[in-house]
Amino acid sequence: MFEAVEELVTEHGALEKRLADPSVHADQANARKLAKRYAELTPITRTYLAWRQAGEDIEAAREFAAEDPEFLAEAKSAEARRDELTEELRLLLVPRDPSDDKDVILEIKAGEGGEESALFAGDLLRMYLRFAERVGWKTEIIDSNESDLGGYKDVSVAVKTKGAGEPGRGVWARLKYEGGVHRVQRVPATESQGRIHTSAAGVLVTPEAEEVEVEVHANDLRIDVYRSSGPGGQSVNTTDSAVRITHLPTGIVASCQNEKSQLQNKEQAMRILRSRLLAAAQEEAEREASDARRSQVRTVDRSERIRTYNYPENRLSDHRTGFKSYNLDQILDGDLNAVIQSCVDADAAAKLAAAQEN
């Protein structure tokens, strides 16, 4: 492992010298590529240098301990520190999801349970909006279809970082684990006898695609326009402003009716379509990959029923990691970090185990 680390540290030093050369920045695209790679290698370099310093501290403490036994405690402390840094280096070397820097489009759809499911979809939307606010992300509701009681039959939200974030710490790196079926157990607002019901809502998270990543030909699209439905302003229900785009080769459909103009709705629908096409292409590549490759790319299954929100017990349970928490009210107010971190840790551990097997 350390031979590979030393090669990366050498590469980091070479990149630092190249980026210090003003002529490199004449080609902005290449300079950005070099800077991104430099930023990716910085945590590895920093951790390796700390690991090496811990080794030197161990040797020095052991030498002094030959004359003064009190230095044995310092040697043990330095050994513990080096063990921690060794594990940290192992995790830093785990293959990284190439989409981790990307922003996402998050879609929530009501499922089993009718109006109660739509109300729960609205609760999930608020939870994600509050979480994004807590961590400093920007959100934009692209499309929504409200239910009669104020929930959502379906809603699509773009979630973005503000400016350039730390490599591997984009929105996708955290929210990719949210995709799947979310189940709620509570007494619905529509229940007159106080009985607990179970309903569900589906969450789909896809990395937002740049136009250059997904090539979409105009001849492959069927664009339908229709009148918007649901609550809204004067233009709703009076003009054919809503847009539905079908990608004919794949059958993937995206629609938008939130904006006032047909052109704006078309642009938003294309954003959703590009992200869905990118996700479909990535999933196809994963299906064709070997078992080892799949274990590196996707170790937490996002297609199953992933989580239960139990209101009577104020409990959240994540069925993939075994994580349980009895502060559901705080989680629904956006305090999602511990829940998501349990998925991040489980994913990293599975990837590390797979890498060690190979």
Side-chain angles (χ1 to χ4, degrees), residues 87-322:
E87 186 60 25
E88 190 174 333
L89 276 173
R90 290 186 190 280
L91 291 174
L92 287 170
L93 293 176
V94 169
R96 193 166 65 85
D97 185 336
S99 295
D100 275 351
D101 295 328
K102 292 183 179 295
D103 299 324
V104 309
I105 290 180
L106 185 147
E107 302 175 59
I108 307 171
K109 297 181 183 294
E112 307 167 6
E115 277 292 345
E116 163 61 8
S117 177
L119 290 171
F120 178 50
D123 293 335
L124 290 177
L125 172 64
R126 180 179 179 277
M127 178 181 74
Y128 290 124
L129 293 179
R130 290 286 292 117
F131 175 65
E133 182 182 341
R134 284 169 180 253
V135 298
W137 294 338
K138 296 185 295 183
T139 57
E140 172 193 3
I141 294 181
I142 299 175
D143 190 33
S144 63
N145 184 8
E146 294 185 29
S147 69
D148 294 336
L149 296 182
Y152 287 90
K153 296 177 182 177
D154 55 77
V155 57
S156 300
V157 188
V159 188
K160 299 176 174 289
T161 54
K162 294 180 180 179
E166 183 181 340
R169 297 284 293 177
V171 182
W172 174 254
R174 305 293 285 177
L175 289 188
K176 61 183 173 183
Y177 304 104
E178 294 303 298
V181 178
H182 296 239
R183 181 174 62 180
V184 62
Q185 295 173 327
R186 66 183 178 185
V187 178
T190 55
E191 168 59 52
S192 60
Q193 299 183 27
R195 292 174 298 186
I196 296 174
H197 287 227
T198 298
S199 60
V203 175
L204 174 66
V205 187
T206 53
E208 183 158 10
E210 303 289 340
E211 290 190 39
V212 294
E213 291 180 291
V214 178
E215 189 175 5
V216 181
H217 299 287
N219 292 338
D220 290 338
L221 302 177
R222 185 179 73 234
I223 301 177
D224 301 308
V225 296
Y226 56 98
R227 292 191 178 182
S228 301
S229 60
Q234 294 180 349
S235 61
V236 174
N237 297 320
T238 61
T239 61
D240 292 335
S241 59
V243 175
R244 181 187 301 109
I245 303 176
T246 304
H247 186 249
L248 298 175
T250 62
I252 293 175
V253 179
S255 61
C256 184
Q257 64 175 6
N258 268 32
E259 305 296 337
K260 292 183 178 180
S261 77
Q262 189 181 114
L263 178 60
Q264 289 173 315
N265 280 324
K266 180 182 177 183
E267 290 174 350
Q268 299 287 40
M270 281 299 298
R271 287 176 65 185
I272 298 173
L273 180 66
R274 278 195 295 268
S275 294
R276 289 180 180 174
L277 288 172
L278 177 63
Q282 290 173 336
E283 288 175 5
E284 179 62 27
E286 289 171 16
R287 279 195 294 270
E288 294 175 356
S290 65
D291 290 340
R293 171 61 179 156
R294 279 201 301 273
S295 69
Q296 293 173 4
V297 174
R298 179 175 294 178
T299 58
V300 176
D301 186 353
R302 300 196 302 275
S303 64
E304 62 185 6
R305 183 164 295 184
I306 64 168
R307 198 173 289 160
T308 295
Y309 302 72
N310 186 302
Y311 276 64
E313 298 179 13
N314 199 32
R315 170 174 53 83
L316 178 138
S317 303
D318 193 290
H319 306 303
R320 299 160 298 176
T321 65

